[in-house]
Amino acid sequence: MHIVLVGNPNTGKSTLFNTLTGQTQKISNLPGTTIEEKTGHFFHKDVKVHVTDLPGTYSLYPNGEDEQITAKFILEHIDNKINTIVFVADAGNLERNLLLYTQISDLGLPVILALNMMDMLESKNLEVDIPQLSLELQTLVVPVNARKGEGLQQLKDTIFKSNQALQNTFFNPVELQNDLIKNAEGSSTPYSKWQRIYSNYKQLKNKLTGPSNEDLYLQTDKLIADETEKRFTKISEIIAKTVKKKVEKRKNPTQRIDSVLLHPVYGFLIFFTTLFIIFQSIFRLAEYPKGWIETCFSVATTFLKSNLPDNVFSQMLCDGILPGLSGVIVFLPQIIILFLILALLEDSGYMTRVSFITDRLMRKFGLNGKSVIPLIGGMACAIPSIMATRNIENKKDRLITILVTPLMSCSARLPVYTLLAGLLFVPENTYGIDMRGLLILGMYLLGFVMALLFAFIFKLILRQKQKSFFVLELPDYRLPKWQNIWMTLKLKTKDFVFNAGKIILIVSVILWFLASHGPEKKFAAIDARYAQYTAPDKDAKVKADQLEASYAGSLGKLIEPTIKPLGYDWKIGIALITSFAAREVFVGTVSTIYSVGSVDDEQLIGATLSKQVNQNTGLKTYTLPVVLSLLVFYAFAMQCISTLAVTYRETKSMKWPIVQFVYMSGFAYLMSLIVYQTLS
């Protein structure tokens, strides 16, 4: 069997999908979480049931790209391949949900109505007469609670009973020309024929003769408006018979909380306070596990160097792989804390409120409230955030959001920020505030401000007549479900560790080779120079000179004239080059570079960097101007190949990834130059 989950955004389809199939699709308490179709299966009574979860949509007349995916899938499967559509509806918002339900029903497909979130009815002072609702819709209605797994057995049993007679007809497009309806092939009902015609607008314009194209658009829009009005008239009659509202003595909890969180002043203060707490927590809670990880890597490196034979393999392991991996894994506790807090905010329903209160601000910069969800999601990773722009209906708003989302500081930047912040501030509190956390909060806010600035610039450059509108459902607040939080945390952490780990492992091995090998004549000359040298720091001087003469050193020297105005030496230059693959590689690169060029077994990268001296100036390498210049560079530079790839996929044009790379990298260089030269 093949069943399809359909419904409005944020009705619990993804939760139901995960519960039925045992899969781990991302779920959260905000609209637009599912942006592409997902597939899975389960077994019931020895029958394998294939399940497809489609993005949420409010109507079969789609606006956003995610809604287009749903409408296209359903229309392509009207005549075959779908045994049953399970329509997932929020029991507390039936009137709105039933518009799409009636459209699906009129296509002639067997539909089961799964009433989800039954536990929320009490807080809304509502009760639903399920037998009467089933009678009015002439379909099977099953109450479920996907979050708690209640009603699933009844739903599975009902799926096998769904091949019933066609449901009620809610709307018949009699206004259409009869010959047009008759010419539509392969569709069973008049409404399904109309939907097939509407889905191909060019075909509609070619077949309708007489009126001009402008008249055609007006006629079609009027038909859709009339259809919606007639459907809601019938839906209102059904709701009046089946949904009863209890006497409401006071506001429900969601309304009481929203009176504060959606306040035009208090709402923003609470939002910024939340951000402040997030970045203070990143350092305060992660300090001990970070120290344990550093100690483990340091002890492991010392042990391996003492017990392994001195050969190429042990050198690669101790000077290449371990320093590279420790450079990122040591910051994993902070990344986990960031993911955890963001997941809690999403699952509670707070993130949607952030979109609401920032909509007016966003509009001034060419965006809208729906752009906030991808932007804030960019604090974790730009790739899924760019994909999440599919629920932004306005094409111009969506394109601008795609172009500026990588300016938001993602989790890949967090290890870089943390490392550099540690060079400026010791882990002590000033008036109870961790200054490192305050600095990183500033970097995240800087990314947000620059995203708004460039959004405004693109707003002036890009021209489009399509009007922008903002329609967003505010879901009820819910206590976060720890199973969902754990699932989200596991998936994101695993994705970060393995995706970053693969890149870092490869880069570390390549860097180790390039940094420990070079032209034989140069290495021989260095050995000869120090042959009679008896100073205690002979080994350190030999390693330092060999690193400079190595292939990696030559590469760094090649680009040093370009980056010298920013305050960077050739070693930092090597890290800049490698981190264009992925930002977090910066930390692994400097760990490997300084490990190869040092005789110290310590793997405490922060302490190692603080000791580095610029050979040209004799001053410390990582001075205040240099560190701030690096922070600014990594805040703005486009250093993620995967982000460019997903921009190409979402825009279907090479033009926009190129624009993204050029404007971000050029701006990063310019701002870093200004910061260093000003502070120097």
Side-chain angles (χ1 to χ4, degrees):
M1 292 187 68
H2 181 199
I3 67 171
V4 179
L5 304 183
V6 180
N8 288 181
N10 213 53
T11 55
K13 290 186 294 80
S14 297
T15 305
L16 182 60
F17 174 83
N18 287 342
T19 308
L20 286 172
T21 64
Q23 294 198 22
T24 53
Q25 180 178 343
K26 173 177 166 50
I27 51 180
S28 59
N29 189 18
L30 53 86
T33 302
T34 304
I35 51 177
E36 54 190 359
E37 62 185 70
K38 306 287 184 181
T39 59
H41 68 270
F42 66 89
F43 287 91
H44 186 63
K45 298 180 178 178
D46 297 325
V47 176
K48 186 176 184 180
V49 182
H50 294 273
V51 186
T52 299
D53 179 25
L54 297 177
T57 180
Y58 292 103
S59 169
L60 286 181
Y61 302 105
N63 289 309
E65 189 170 326
D66 54 339
E67 293 184 332
Q68 292 173 8
I69 292 171
T70 298
K72 182 180 178 182
F73 183 94
I74 292 172
L75 295 177
E76 286 179 349
H77 292 77
I78 287 178
D79 300 310
N80 52 31
K81 299 181 182 178
I82 295 180
N83 296 101
T84 301
I85 287 184
V86 177
F87 190 91
V88 185
D90 178 357
N93 292 293
L94 260 183
E95 187 166 9
R96 188 199 64 236
N97 285 203
L98 287 182
L99 173 65
L100 177 61
Y101 168 84
T102 62
Q103 292 176 336
I104 299 289
S105 179
D106 283 348
L107 294 176
L109 293 165
V111 187
I112 294 172
L113 180 60
L115 280 187
N116 195 21
M117 306 182 190
M118 293 295 292
D119 55 329
M120 302 299 292
L121 289 177
E122 184 66 30
S123 65
K124 294 186 176 183
N125 298 300
L126 297 174
E127 53 185 3
V128 178
D129 186 338
I130 292 177
Q132 183 64 31
L133 181 62
S134 178
L135 183 64
E136 293 291 335
L137 298 177
Q138 286 296 294
T139 192
L140 300 170
V141 180
V142 183
V144 297
N145 187 330
R147 285 168 65 90
K148 297 180 180 179
E150 297 172 355
L152 295 186
Q153 189 62 40
Q154 182 185 354
L155 177 62
K156 291 178 180 180
D157 291 337
T158 306
I159 287 171
F160 285 81
K161 304 174 185 176
S162 60
N163 292 319
Q164 59 204 36
L166 293 180
Q167 294 89 342
N168 282 351
T169 298
F170 295 91
F171 175 76
N172 191 358
V174 293
E175 292 88 344
L176 274 178
Q177 297 181 14
N178 290 331
D179 59 337
L180 192 60
I181 290 287
K182 292 175 182 177
N183 289 334
E185 298 176 355
S187 297
S188 55
T189 68
Y191 188 69
S192 64
K193 293 177 181 179
W194 156 241
Q195 279 291 343
R196 282 191 182 279
I197 295 166
Y198 177 80
S199 66
N200 189 341
Y201 223 81
K202 290 182 180 178
Q203 179 183 357
L204 179 62
K205 286 193 289 185
N206 292 334
K207 287 191 175 183
L208 276 179
T209 57
S212 65
N213 286 346
E214 184 177 352
D215 290 339
L216 172 64
Y217 279 106
L218 291 174
Q219 288 178 4
T220 307
D221 289 343
K222 184 179 185 303
L223 176 66
I224 295 172
D226 289 344
E227 173 192 337
T228 304
E229 184 178 351
K230 290 177 181 179
R231 287 188 186 279
F232 270 122
T233 299
K234 288 191 176 182
I235 290 169
S236 296
E237 294 172 358
I238 294 172
I239 293 297
K241 297 177 182 177
T242 58
V243 179
K244 305 299 179 185
K245 194 171 184 66
K246 302 176 183 177
V247 178
E248 188 171 350
K249 298 180 180 179
R250 58 177 182 172
K251 292 181 178 179
N252 65 39
T254 292
Q255 291 173 321
R256 294 198 298 273
I257 296 171
D258 276 347
S259 65
V260 178
L261 294 187
L262 299 185
H263 190 276
V265 177
Y266 303 145
F268 276 101
L269 291 176
I270 292 171
F271 175 53
F272 287 118
T273 302
T274 302
L275 291 178
F276 176 80
I277 293 172
I278 288 174
F279 293 106
Q280 287 295 304
S281 302
I282 283 175
F283 279 98
R284 289 176 179 270
L285 300 180
E287 200 66 46
Y288 288 107
K290 180 185 173 187
W292 298 334
I293 295 171
E294 284 181 327
T295 302
C296 288
F297 271 99
S298 181
V299 170
T301 302
T302 303
F303 175 80
L304 292 173
K305 282 189 174 182
S306 302
N307 292 275
L308 288 179
D310 188 13
N311 55 30
V312 173
F313 172 77
S314 62
Q315 291 172 9
M316 179 180 70
L317 178 63
C318 297
D319 296 335
I321 295 175
L322 286 179
L325 290 178
S326 69
V328 169
I329 294 177
V330 74
F331 298 107
L332 193 58
Q334 286 147 328
I335 292 169
I336 291 175
I337 292 170
L338 176 65
F339 286 160
L340 174 62
I341 297 176
L342 289 179
L344 288 170
L345 294 177
E346 283 185 5
D347 209 47
S348 67
Y350 177 66
M351 279 303 196
T352 314
R353 271 70 186 180
V354 174
S355 297
F356 180 84
I357 63 174
T358 55
D359 175 60
R360 183 169 295 181
L361 173 66
M362 294 289 104
R363 288 189 175 280
K364 295 178 181 178
F365 296 94
L367 302 171
N368 69 39
K370 283 191 177 180
S371 301
V372 174
I373 293 175
L375 289 177
I376 293 179
M379 292 168 59
C381 182
I383 294 169
S385 299
I386 288 175
M387 295 171 65
T389 61
R390 293 176 185 175
N391 72 339
I392 300 176
E393 294 84 1
N394 185 281
K395 292 182 179 179
K396 178 180 175 181
D397 290 0
R398 180 174 182 244
L399 177 58
I400 293 175
T401 307
I402 288 173
L403 292 175
V404 303
T405 293
L407 285 169
M408 297 296 292
S409 292
C410 62
S411 58
R413 288 181 173 103
L414 188 57
V416 182
Y417 289 167
T418 304
L419 175 64
L420 296 175
L423 296 175
L424 295 181
F425 301 106
V426 295
E428 295 178 358
N429 298 327
T430 304
Y431 302 109
I433 299 173
D434 193 311
M435 297 305 294
R436 297 170 301 171
L438 201 60
L439 174 63
I440 294 180
L441 172 59
M443 297 307 301
Y444 275 74
L445 292 177
L446 177 64
F448 181 68
V449 170
M450 288 300 110
L452 292 184
L453 173 63
F454 276 100
F456 182 74
I457 293 172
F458 285 124
K459 173 188 175 183
L460 299 178
I461 295 174
L462 300 174
R463 298 294 179 184
Q464 184 176 316
K465 294 182 179 179
Q466 181 184 359
K467 290 184 179 180
S468 174
F469 61 92
F470 177 52
V471 179
L472 183 70
E473 175 191 358
L474 295 180
D476 291 327
Y477 291 105
R478 303 178 201 148
L479 288 174
K481 187 178 180 183
W482 288 107
Q483 182 181 355
N484 295 348
I485 300 300
W486 167 246
M487 185 187 304
T488 301
L489 195 61
K490 182 174 70 172
L491 288 174
K492 287 190 173 183
T493 304
K494 181 181 177 182
D495 183 64
F496 177 83
V497 170
F498 284 94
N499 283 348
K502 286 185 290 187
I503 298 172
I504 292 166
L505 189 62
I506 294 170
V507 171
S508 295
V509 172
I510 295 173
L511 268 179
W512 166 81
F513 177 82
L514 294 177
S516 58
H517 294 75
E520 291 186 9
K521 290 184 178 180
K522 289 186 178 181
F523 272 45
I526 293 171
D527 289 336
R529 187 189 314 155
Y530 291 101
Q532 305 300 321
Y533 205 84
T534 57
D537 59 347
K538 173 183 175 180
D539 288 344
K541 289 183 177 294
V542 170
K543 282 183 174 290
D545 285 4
Q546 286 180 341
L547 176 62
E548 188 170 355
S550 67
Y551 297 123
S554 300
L555 180 62
K557 292 285 186 179
L558 181 66
I559 68 166
E560 191 173 34
T562 306
I563 61 175
K564 191 173 182 181
L566 309 183
Y568 311 155
D569 62 10
W570 57 271
K571 292 182 181 180
I572 297 177
I574 297 171
L576 291 182
I577 292 173
T578 57
S579 58
F580 270 100
R583 298 175 182 95
E584 61 269 38
V585 177
F586 171 86
V587 183
T589 298
V590 293
S591 299
T592 302
I593 289 294
Y594 292 124
S595 175
V596 172
S598 172
V599 293
D600 191 358
D601 289 347
E602 287 288 322
Q603 295 299 311
L604 305 180
I605 182 60
T608 303
L609 263 61
S610 63
K611 299 174 186 175
Q612 299 305 309
V613 176
N614 189 303
Q615 296 176 354
N616 297 325
T617 64
L619 302 174
K620 283 191 174 183
T621 301
Y622 293 91
T623 60
L624 175 65
V626 172
V627 172
L628 291 180
S629 175
L630 274 171
L631 282 169
V632 169
F633 187 88
Y634 275 87
F636 301 141
M638 169 47 75
Q639 296 169 297
C640 183
I641 294 173
S642 299
T643 299
L644 293 173
V646 80
T647 297
Y648 168 72
R649 191 178 79 174
E650 293 299 309
T651 61
K652 299 177 177 64
S653 170
M654 278 300 299
K655 172 184 176 182
W656 299 116
I658 293 172
V659 168
Q660 205 172 47
F661 179 82
V662 171
Y663 97 79
M664 289 183 64
S665 300
F667 184 68
Y669 187 93
L670 176 63
M671 295 306 297
S672 299
L673 177 66
I674 292 173
V675 167
Y676 178 75
Q677 295 297 333
T678 301
L679 294 178
S680 296

